[in-house]
Amino acid sequence: MKAQRVSLWLLGAILLLCSVHARGLRRCLISMDMHQIEETFQEIKRAIQAKDTFQNVTILSTSEFLHSIKPLDVCCVTKSLLEFYVDRVFKDHQEVNPQILRKISSIANSFLYMQKALQQCQEQRLCHCGQEATNATRIIHDNYNQLEVRSAAIKSLGELDLFLAWIGKNHQGTSTA
């Protein structure tokens, strides 16, 4: 009888801790209209991918690569990939078509907003960055660095739908559609 009470107490304490931890992670999730960002990308996807001369090369590796990220590392990988797109891909891409440039700028502004939200979580130590997350983002940077800058930017932009789908899947609890 006493052992059952102790077991129930421990179970309750574990559930409470898990609940608090889950709420902490939820605060780190981003609140964006991912559907709108995906639609904006779909409007330019064909034009971007038509410029890609390396059809057999990937920057984001395979979509399975992103899907293998552990839930604890999702915040860190998301933040790192947002930084990657903002600091490298969008800056390295040279677009002459003003309509495409406006849409890329719109996506970049959305990424800046999401990046700011995740930066606050990292400052509050709610965004865990484990070794696996660090390795994953290093692989992406290495893939990018293996191509000439312009080609790498086009390739990364062409793969943006993989990243957007991954964000939508991993942050679906707070994205608005």
Side-chain angles (χ1 to χ4, degrees):
M1 184 75 107
K2 199 172 190 178
Q4 284 180 330
R5 277 191 234 156
V6 170
S7 295
L8 286 174
W9 183 84
L10 284 172
L11 179 62
I14 290 170
L15 289 174
L16 179 66
L17 288 173
C18 288
S19 171
V20 168
H21 180 69
R23 262 188 257 129
L25 287 177
R26 245 182 263 128
R27 281 183 279 157
C28 287
L29 298 180
I30 43 185
S31 179
M32 285 293 296
D33 185 354
M34 293 307 297
H35 182 71
Q36 180 64 40
I37 299 170
E38 289 168 349
E39 279 183 5
T40 301
F41 175 70
Q42 289 302 318
E43 293 171 10
I44 62 171
K45 179 180 177 178
R46 183 174 290 141
I48 296 291
Q49 289 181 342
K51 298 176 188 176
D52 184 0
T53 56
F54 297 100
Q55 298 295 320
N56 59 341
V57 176
T58 62
I59 300 290
L60 294 180
S61 200
T62 62
S63 59
E64 294 84 32
F65 173 76
L66 284 175
H67 295 296
S68 70
I69 302 298
K70 294 178 183 168
L72 189 59
D73 290 328
V74 165
C75 175
C76 181
V77 171
T78 304
K79 183 181 172 303
S80 296
L81 288 179
L82 289 169
E83 287 175 4
F84 167 73
Y85 271 93
V86 169
D87 295 341
R88 299 207 52 201
V89 177
F90 295 136
K91 287 182 181 177
D92 289 345
H93 181 69
Q94 299 171 354
E95 184 58 55
V96 294
N97 183 323
Q99 287 118 348
I100 293 175
L101 185 58
R102 270 194 298 277
K103 295 193 184 299
I104 290 172
S105 293
S106 172
I107 295 168
N109 287 334
S110 297
F111 278 26
L112 284 169
Y113 176 82
M114 290 186 277
Q115 191 178 13
K116 184 177 178 181
L118 293 178
Q119 179 63 35
Q120 291 172 348
C121 287
Q122 191 164 28
E123 288 169 2
Q124 298 170 1
R125 301 192 187 279
L126 298 173
C127 192
H128 177 277
C129 287
Q131 188 62 42
E132 189 172 314
T134 304
N135 291 342
T137 55
R138 186 176 348 143
I139 289 169
I140 291 167
H141 282 274
D142 289 346
N143 290 344
Y144 190 88
N145 292 333
Q146 289 178 6
L147 294 175
E148 179 268 327
V149 173
R150 186 177 176 332
S151 298
I154 289 170
K155 172 61 73 179
S156 296
L157 280 174
E159 294 178 348
L160 192 59
D161 54 344
L162 297 173
F163 181 46
L164 293 173
W166 185 79
I167 290 174
K169 176 183 177 256
N170 287 283
H171 299 281
Q172 65 189 4
T174 59
S175 63
T176 57

